[in-house]
Amino acid sequence: ALPISRENAILLTTSSSDMVESPIRGQLDLKKSVDMGKSFQKIASDVYSFGQGGRFLFASVLLKKGQARKVLVSVDQGESWNDAQLPAVSQQQFYSILAADDATIFMHVDAPGDTISGTIFVSDDRGVLFSKSLTHHLFVSSTSGNDFMNVTSLRGVYITNVVDKEGSIHSVISFYRG
């Protein structure tokens, strides 16, 4: 048998209605298979969306039907979960993993209202405690990616854009991992 790892685990969401549409997001089950899909184990409920970055597995879960969402994080592929210390978001807002490695997560939390910006938070090595790193972070459409860039030749340096009060866009450089 293969050991449980990111490399050989299959993760997917399922619903009781056999259809995944926007109205049932937040009512999905996150399941994991470690035997190439022969069997699946439910590892989270009330899932809106999930993602993986570095050694971290994330699930955005509904707190109460029609209410806010929060982020759960796991470092053992869903065997156990911790609440990420991030602001809860409404149904109109979103979370986005900008970058993650085995030690740090950079998470964008969308601002309330119809905005194009939000706040970047940086995690501790457990992916649980987050510190505010940058406000007014410009977030472009998820279909076109994001502008958060890791300068790989300079350890701990990132470049991104912010929007000022007048709507002008400026590039900023972050040192020391945010």
Side-chain angles (χ1 to χ4, degrees), residues 116 136 138 140 147 160-164 166-172:
I116 58 170
H136 308 291
L138 174 68
V140 292
D147 67 344
T160 194
N161 291 314
V162 295
V163 180
D164 65 19
E166 291 79 36
S168 296
I169 298 170
H170 305 277
S171 294
V172 294

Side-chain angles (χ1 to χ4, degrees), residues 106 150-158 173-178:
F106 288 87
N150 180 3
V151 181
T152 55
S153 61
L154 298 169
R155 187 179 191 111
V157 176
Y158 296 86
I173 298 174
S174 173
F175 300 94
Y176 308 112
R177 296 181 153 285

Side-chain angles (χ1 to χ4, degrees), residues 125-137:
D125 62 349
R126 298 173 302 139
V128 174
L129 297 175
F130 281 78
S131 301
K132 188 183 289 188
S133 176
L134 181 67
T135 59
H136 308 291
H137 172 246

Side-chain angles (χ1 to χ4, degrees), residues 34-102:
V34 294
D35 58 8
M36 302 303 290
K38 292 179 186 169
S39 64
F40 284 86
Q41 168 193 7
K42 181 166 68 169
I43 58 174
S45 299
D46 301 321
V47 174
Y48 187 85
S49 62
F50 76 96
Q52 203 161 12
R55 66 185 179 110
F56 303 101
L57 174 61
F58 310 92
S60 172
V61 297
L62 210 57
L63 294 172
K64 291 182 182 174
K65 189 171 178 147
Q67 298 293 319
R69 288 179 284 128
K70 68 177 180 177
V71 171
L72 299 177
V73 64
S74 175
V75 293
D76 57 11
Q77 291 296 292
E79 297 298 316
S80 63
W81 294 93
N82 291 302
D83 286 347
Q85 301 301 306
L86 288 164
V89 298
S90 71
Q91 294 293 323
Q92 290 75 36
Q93 293 172 275
F94 62 90
Y95 297 104
S96 181
I97 304 163
L98 299 174
D101 57 28
D102 286 345

